[in-house]
């Protein structure tokens, strides 16, 4: 191991010292004998300052001249000469400061993932969503109307391979926040497709399985079911007309609620011309919590009169016309999952 070389203190020559040294050199060049003052420093009537063997000797010699050098003169003219280093020590590698620009740039690359630039497809990764492409996709169907209407909707459904009556179209409308059945506005399209990260037909097709799976999620299905009421009703109406209501119930509950066909018969022969929001919401809760034999129905519960009348009507029917009882709610959930996978 090489021991470190002691730090060398630089010899400082102030202006008066430098001036005296120059004066002595000029005298030597003029033929004056100044060798006793600067031995070994001047040869052949020339001075080679870069070849001085021992700079510290100059300082000692100047001290012998008894010069009064007490810091006089301007600091900007101070000369600093360092004694040459004759040791063979391995050079120390320069360290970069922690706050250097290069260091910071490397930290961002190695420690934090860099965000992908839009429109650039990284190797082995999916292309980023493009709002511009999504807008062009919308105009493909909207045309001059600035809205995807019923005719364009049929073409759109054909392109993605989904029937217009399929419940997946209701799930898509829920994602887009569509306010009117059969129509998608530009704002609805852009906001909903951005959340879904779909800017073309192929990407939306890749999301269809995900949207089907949402029908098996109790919370998501409840939101879709409640959304369907406002989505399907006329703008100026507070209730769903009975034809629309039964069609939407068939779409949402027809495959999973064993009592749906019986309940539909009840609605068709009843005095009701439509369903309000409270009735609509409670039908879902009824289908989830009440067994098919209606044995756990509480007549004193906070159910709408519509459902009280349905229970009374059903119990009055012959037993042969009643559907078999689903023993547990879990069996109904398994049936729901099996049905939605076939959509």
């Amino acid at each position: 191991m090489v021991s470190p070389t002691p730090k060398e203190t630089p010899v400082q020559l102030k202006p008066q010292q430098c001036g005296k040294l120059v004066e002595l050199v000029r005298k030597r060049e003029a033929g004056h004998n100044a060798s006793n003052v600067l031995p070994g420093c001047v040869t052949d009537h020339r001075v080679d300052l870069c070849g001085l063997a021992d700079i510290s000797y100059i300082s000692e010699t100047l001290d012998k001249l008894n010069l009064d050098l007490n810091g006089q003169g301007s600091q900007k003219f101070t000369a600093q000469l360092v004694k040459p280093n004759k040791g063979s020590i391995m050079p120390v590698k320069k360290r970069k400061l922690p706050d250097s620009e290069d260091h910071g740039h490397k930290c961002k690359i190695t420690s934090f993932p860099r965000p992908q630039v839009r429109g650039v497809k990284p190797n082995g990764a999916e292309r980023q969503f493009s709002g511009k492409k999504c807008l062009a996709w919308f105009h493909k169907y909207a045309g001059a109307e600035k809205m995807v209407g019923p005719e364009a909707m049929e073409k759109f459904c054909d392109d993605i391979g989904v029937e217009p009556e399929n419940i997946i179209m209701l799930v898509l409308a829920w994602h887009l926040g569509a306010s009117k059945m059969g129509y998608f506005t530009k704002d609805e399209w852009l906001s909903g497709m951005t959340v879904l990260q779909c800017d073309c037909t192929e990407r939306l097709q890749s999301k269809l399985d995900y949207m089907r799976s949402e029908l098996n999620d109790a919370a998501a299905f409840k939101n879709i079911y409640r959304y369907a009421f406002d989505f399907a009703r006329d703008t100026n109406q507070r209730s769903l007309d009975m034809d629309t209501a039964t069609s939407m119930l068939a779409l949402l509950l027809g495959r999973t609620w064993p009592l749906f066909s019986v309940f539909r018969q009840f609605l068709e022969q009843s005095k009701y011309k439509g369903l309000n929001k409270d009735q609509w919401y409670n039908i879902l809760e009824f289908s989830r919590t009440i067994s098919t034999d209606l044995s756990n129905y509480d007549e004193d519960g906070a159910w709408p009169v519509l459902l009280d009348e349905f229970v009374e009507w059903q119990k009055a029917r012959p037993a042969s016309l009643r559907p078999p009882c689903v023993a547990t709610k879990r069996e109904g959930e398994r049936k729901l999952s099996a049905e939605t996978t076939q959509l």
Side-chain angles (χ1 to χ4, degrees):
M1 181 175 180
V2 180
S3 60
T5 303
K7 186 176 180 181
E8 298 173 346
T9 303
V11 178
Q12 294 187 349
L13 299 182
K14 296 191 177 178
Q16 293 85 345
Q17 290 176 316
C18 294
K20 191 64 179 176
L21 178 61
V22 171
E23 181 182 352
L24 293 173
V25 170
R26 286 176 178 173
K27 288 181 179 180
R28 185 71 180 94
E29 291 179 344
H32 296 286
N33 186 12
S35 59
N36 60 333
V37 179
L38 294 173
C41 293
V42 179
T43 58
D44 299 331
H45 305 285
R46 294 189 312 162
V47 176
D48 186 2
L49 295 178
C50 296
L52 294 178
D54 193 348
I55 301 301
S56 61
Y57 187 80
I58 296 176
S59 179
E60 295 173 0
T61 304
L62 291 175
D63 289 340
K64 292 179 181 179
L65 295 176
N66 234 353
L67 297 176
D68 182 16
L69 304 175
N70 295 320
Q72 298 178 1
S74 174
Q75 292 182 354
K76 67 179 181 178
F77 296 108
T78 301
Q80 186 175 17
L81 303 177
V82 182
K83 185 176 181 179
N85 183 7
K86 299 181 181 180
S88 57
I89 302 176
M90 182 178 293
V92 179
K93 186 176 182 180
K94 293 183 179 180
R95 293 187 305 167
K96 295 184 179 180
L97 296 177
D99 57 348
S100 66
E101 292 182 1
D102 187 63
H103 178 81
H105 181 66
K106 288 185 178 180
C107 283
K108 289 180 181 179
I109 294 175
T110 58
S111 301
F112 303 95
R114 297 178 66 188
Q116 298 294 337
V117 180
R118 245 180 217 193
V120 177
K121 184 176 181 181
N123 293 331
E126 188 179 2
R127 175 181 58 81
Q128 292 291 313
F129 172 83
S130 170
K132 184 177 180 180
K133 188 174 182 180
C134 184
L135 182 59
W137 186 32
F138 169 79
H139 286 301
K140 174 183 176 182
Y141 301 103
E145 298 178 2
K146 298 182 180 180
M147 180 181 294
V148 178
E151 293 184 3
M153 191 70 72
E154 291 184 6
K155 185 179 186 307
F156 171 70
C157 291
D158 185 61
D159 289 346
I160 64 174
V162 176
E163 294 293 330
E165 300 81 10
N166 195 300
I167 193 173
I168 296 301
M169 291 304 297
L170 176 62
V171 179
L172 176 61
W174 172 62
H175 276 286
L176 270 58
S179 59
K180 188 176 181 181
M181 184 182 294
Y183 295 87
F184 292 151
T185 67
K186 183 174 73 172
D187 290 341
E188 292 167 351
W189 181 284
L190 292 178
S191 62
M193 293 300 185
T194 299
V195 173
L196 290 171
Q197 291 289 283
C198 295
D199 56 13
C200 62
T201 300
E202 293 75 18
R203 282 197 167 188
L204 182 58
Q205 288 174 326
S206 69
K207 297 286 186 178
L208 295 180
D209 288 340
Y210 163 71
M211 289 190 282
R212 289 188 183 97
S213 70
E214 290 182 299
L215 296 170
N216 297 328
D217 182 86
F221 182 82
K222 183 177 182 178
N223 291 330
I224 295 168
Y225 178 90
R226 292 189 169 192
Y227 161 80
F229 179 85
D230 292 323
F231 178 66
R233 70 181 174 86
D234 292 334
T235 305
N236 299 325
Q237 300 294 324
R238 299 181 61 184
S239 301
L240 280 177
D241 66 86
M242 191 56 71
D243 289 340
T244 303
T246 53
S247 296
M248 293 300 293
L249 287 172
L251 182 66
L252 291 159
L253 302 178
R255 295 174 177 267
T256 59
W257 186 27
L259 283 178
F260 172 73
S261 60
V262 178
F263 184 70
R264 185 171 188 171
Q265 293 177 29
F266 164 76
L267 292 177
E268 290 173 349
Q269 61 84 46
S270 70
K271 61 183 179 181
Y272 296 98
K273 304 300 181 183
L275 298 177
N276 61 35
K277 184 173 288 188
D278 181 65
Q279 293 167 339
W280 179 265
Y281 286 4
N282 276 279
I283 289 171
L284 176 62
E285 297 305 313
F286 185 95
S287 69
R288 286 181 164 184
T289 59
I290 305 302
S291 61
T292 54
D293 64 356
L294 308 178
S295 58
N296 62 339
Y297 182 79
D298 183 7
E299 295 180 357
D300 297 327
W303 296 105
V305 176
L306 169 74
L307 294 175
D308 289 337
E309 293 177 353
F310 167 66
V311 172
E312 183 180 353
W313 176 82
Q314 174 65 359
K315 286 183 176 180
R317 300 179 74 197
S320 60
L321 299 177
R322 300 175 189 175
C325 177
V326 176
T328 63
K329 182 181 178 181
R330 180 169 295 181
E331 291 181 9
E333 292 175 346
R334 284 199 295 266
K335 183 180 179 183
L336 171 64
S337 178
E339 291 286 351
T340 51
T341 54
Q342 298 175 3
L343 294 177

